Amino acid sequence: MTSQAADEPETVVASRRSKLTPEREQEFFDAVLDQIRHCGYESVTMEGIAASTRCSKSTLYRQWKTKPQFVAAALRASRRVRFAGIDTGSLTEDLRQAARAAGDWSGKDTRLLQSLGHALTDDRELAEALREALVHPEIAALQEMLERGVARGEVPAGHPALEYVPAMMFGVLRVRPVLCGQYADADYLAGFVEAVVLPALGLTRNPAE
Amino acid sequence: MTSQAADEPETVVASRRSKLTPEREQEFFDAVLDQIRHCGYESVTMEGIAASTRCSKSTLYRQWKTKPQFVAAALRASRRVRFAGIDTGSLTEDLRQAARAAGDWSGKDTRLLQSLGHALTDDRELAEALREALVHPEIAALQEMLERGVARGEVPAGHPALEYVPAMMFGVLRVRPVLCGQYADADYLAGFVEAVVLPALGLTRNPAE
DNA sequence: GTGTACCGATACGGTCGAGTACCGGTACAC
DNA sequence: GTGTACCGGTACTCGACCGTATCGGTACAC
């Protein structure tokens, strides 16, 4: 559980247990996530990561016990909420900006999600790390956005479409590659928000036209 | 390309090149798709398939050159349009029935799609077979359904939400496991159609209430 | 200088699975 | 009966990759 990078109480400021700097560690993480995106989880090898980062397999295994634990650590370290800062004061505009933001990283994260596909059901810890790193934070940010809109009275509380907004946003993002072989971009998502999400929430000025 | 099962002109009616009956072949296909659903594409082995169907590896390799070609053949053979027969005369009702139907096989097919995740980008032929078998037929059926609705005047032609209907139906189906760890069922999808799809298409009687 | 603790490199053991080769058995044609 | 062509079983080769062990080099503490 608390395997690495935990700030232990007896460590002095200028001394590290591992000689790997945090930046170096991040290089490993970036490398493994990149390779997963390109070749899939199963095709990624510890040897390949070591080679591409010019470290040695021993170094990797000294820090992390196994491959899934290593990948899980990489996922946790890459945790970032993509549209956390969006708060324009209008739900409509928030959703539009969220679509733009999502379109920008959809290529990277959707691919990661896709490539980890089966590993989700395979390794418990990995699945949890993935959800914690990529899924929950975004869902939570989106839900806060919606709640603010409800609080401002833009959408009635308990509106039936509310609970489906996260699912459809991420759903559309995620199936696009399967449907037409290309990742959803910002324009596509923006169009989706205009044509579906806003109308479903009753947020359009001219509902018919 | 034209590797097997092509009806060659010189074959007589009552004679088969392979002694495997079509039923036997289908057993192989069912077995491999089942195993993929349970353990993922990479974890499925030709040896495992041979064992579980009580045939021999040689038999499999006599019919199909490689593992991905075998899986692709299985996908093509399992091609079936799930909601082809839906045509109630009302788009609203068609979509409701489609949701029910989709909920019923979502467990099986979504799982298959998920488990094949990476193989999509890995093997060209496999990706094509998957799209041909599971994706395109359903999309086409859904689009015909929509076109009938447009022809009947239930939805104006060129309605902006039209093009997103397939993506959101399959998208919601597909992300549900990632979001909450369980597959979407018929009830969930039915609720989605009521709360989002119909309103977005302007098909609700009481838009506000 | 000496000890310690980590890094990088390499080599190794062990497992697993794809695909091949070979063998005996058998159904069917003639 | 004889030939042919396929089936099932098994043994095998070959490569990939996980994870371990070992060794030399080096930065740093004291």
Side-chain angles (χ1 to χ4, degrees):
Chain A
M1 305 297 175
T2 76
S3 50
Q4 87 294 354
D7 37 357
E8 307 179 4
E10 69 269 28
T11 52
V12 196
V13 175
S15 91
R16 283 182 52 78
R17 184 84 145 285
S18 159
K19 286 181 182 169
L20 297 176
T21 66
E23 293 77 21
R24 181 69 168 138
E25 223 178 48
Q26 191 61 45
E27 279 180 43
F28 299 153
F29 292 157
D30 290 343
V32 70
L33 295 187
D34 265 3
Q35 287 208 15
I36 288 178
R37 276 186 274 263
H38 283 91
C39 329
Y41 174 78
E42 316 271 351
S43 304
V44 166
T45 71
M46 296 297 260
E47 238 150 319
I49 300 298
S52 75
T53 57
R54 255 187 269 281
C55 78
S56 94
K57 247 196 327 180
S58 329
T59 304
L60 297 180
Y61 279 106
R62 252 177 237 125
Q63 307 288 328
W64 303 279
K65 303 287 180 193
T66 67
K67 172 178 165 181
Q69 283 182 26
F70 173 47
V71 175
L75 284 172
R76 276 189 285 263
S78 86
R79 172 177 176 156
R80 243 170 318 145
V81 183
R82 268 68 175 182
F83 41 65
I86 300 178
D87 186 3
T88 65
S90 145
L91 181 54
T92 300
E93 208 50 45
D94 278 3
L95 287 171
R96 283 176 178 149
Q97 288 207 9
R100 294 270 156 209
D104 290 341
W105 43 263
S106 85
K108 284 187 79 174
D109 288 0
T110 306
R111 195 152 189 148
L112 197 52
L113 218 56
Q114 173 86 355
S115 300
L116 282 171
H118 159 249
L120 282 183
T121 65
D122 197 42
D123 187 289
R124 215 67 185 172
E125 183 189 356
L126 203 53
E128 201 49 45
L130 181 71
R131 247 190 282 278
E132 287 300 321
L134 286 185
V135 181
H136 279 167
E138 308 299 336
I139 301 285
L142 203 53
Q143 264 160 354
E144 280 175 25
M145 192 180 294
L146 293 169
E147 282 163 19
R148 285 197 305 266
V150 171
R152 283 189 299 257
E154 302 175 51
V155 175
H159 190 294
L162 277 174
E163 67 166 307
Y164 296 103
V165 171
M168 63 180 155
M169 293 283 287
F170 289 99
V172 167
L173 209 62
R174 189 157 152 60
V175 278
R176 190 83 198 291
V178 180
L179 296 194
C180 28
Q182 62 179 343
Y183 292 93
D185 54 7
D187 287 339
Y188 179 80
L189 271 181
F192 176 69
V193 166
E194 296 300 326
V196 174
V197 181
L198 298 180
L201 288 170
L203 281 173
T204 40
R205 300 175 203 122
N206 315 326
E209 219 279 345
Chain B
M1 303 301 175
T2 76
S3 48
Q4 85 293 356
D7 37 358
E8 308 180 2
E10 68 270 27
T11 52
V12 195
V13 176
S15 89
R16 284 181 51 78
R17 185 84 145 284
S18 160
K19 287 180 182 169
L20 297 177
T21 66
E23 293 76 20
R24 182 68 169 137
E25 222 177 49
Q26 191 61 45
E27 279 180 43
F28 299 154
F29 293 157
D30 290 343
V32 70
L33 295 187
D34 264 4
Q35 287 207 16
I36 287 177
R37 275 186 274 265
H38 283 90
C39 329
Y41 174 78
E42 315 272 351
S43 304
V44 166
T45 71
M46 296 298 262
E47 236 151 317
I49 300 299
S52 75
T53 57
R54 255 187 268 281
C55 79
S56 94
K57 244 191 337 173
S58 328
T59 303
L60 297 179
Y61 277 106
R62 251 178 239 123
Q63 306 289 328
W64 303 279
K65 303 288 180 194
T66 66
K67 171 179 165 181
Q69 283 182 25
F70 172 46
V71 175
L75 284 172
R76 276 188 286 261
S78 86
R79 171 176 176 158
R80 242 170 318 144
V81 183
R82 266 70 173 182
F83 41 64
I86 298 178
D87 186 2
T88 64
S90 144
L91 180 54
T92 301
E93 208 50 46
D94 277 4
L95 287 171
R96 282 177 178 148
Q97 288 206 11
R100 294 269 156 211
D104 290 341
W105 42 263
S106 84
K108 281 187 83 174
D109 288 1
T110 307
R111 195 152 189 148
L112 197 52
L113 218 56
Q114 173 85 355
S115 300
L116 282 171
H118 157 249
L120 282 181
T121 65
D122 196 42
D123 188 289
R124 215 67 185 172
E125 183 188 355
L126 203 52
E128 202 48 46
L130 182 71
R131 248 191 281 277
E132 287 300 321
L134 286 184
V135 181
H136 279 167
E138 309 298 336
I139 300 285
L142 203 54
Q143 262 161 356
E144 279 175 24
M145 191 180 295
L146 293 169
E147 282 163 18
R148 286 196 304 266
V150 170
R152 284 189 299 258
E154 302 176 51
V155 175
H159 190 294
L162 277 174
E163 66 166 309
Y164 296 103
V165 171
M168 64 180 154
M169 294 283 287
F170 289 98
V172 166
L173 210 62
R174 190 157 152 61
V175 278
R176 191 85 198 290
V178 180
L179 296 194
C180 26
Q182 62 180 343
Y183 291 94
D185 54 6
D187 286 339
Y188 179 81
L189 271 180
F192 176 69
V193 166
E194 296 299 327
V196 174
V197 182
L198 299 180
L201 288 170
L203 282 173
T204 40
R205 298 170 205 129
N206 315 324
E209 217 278 346

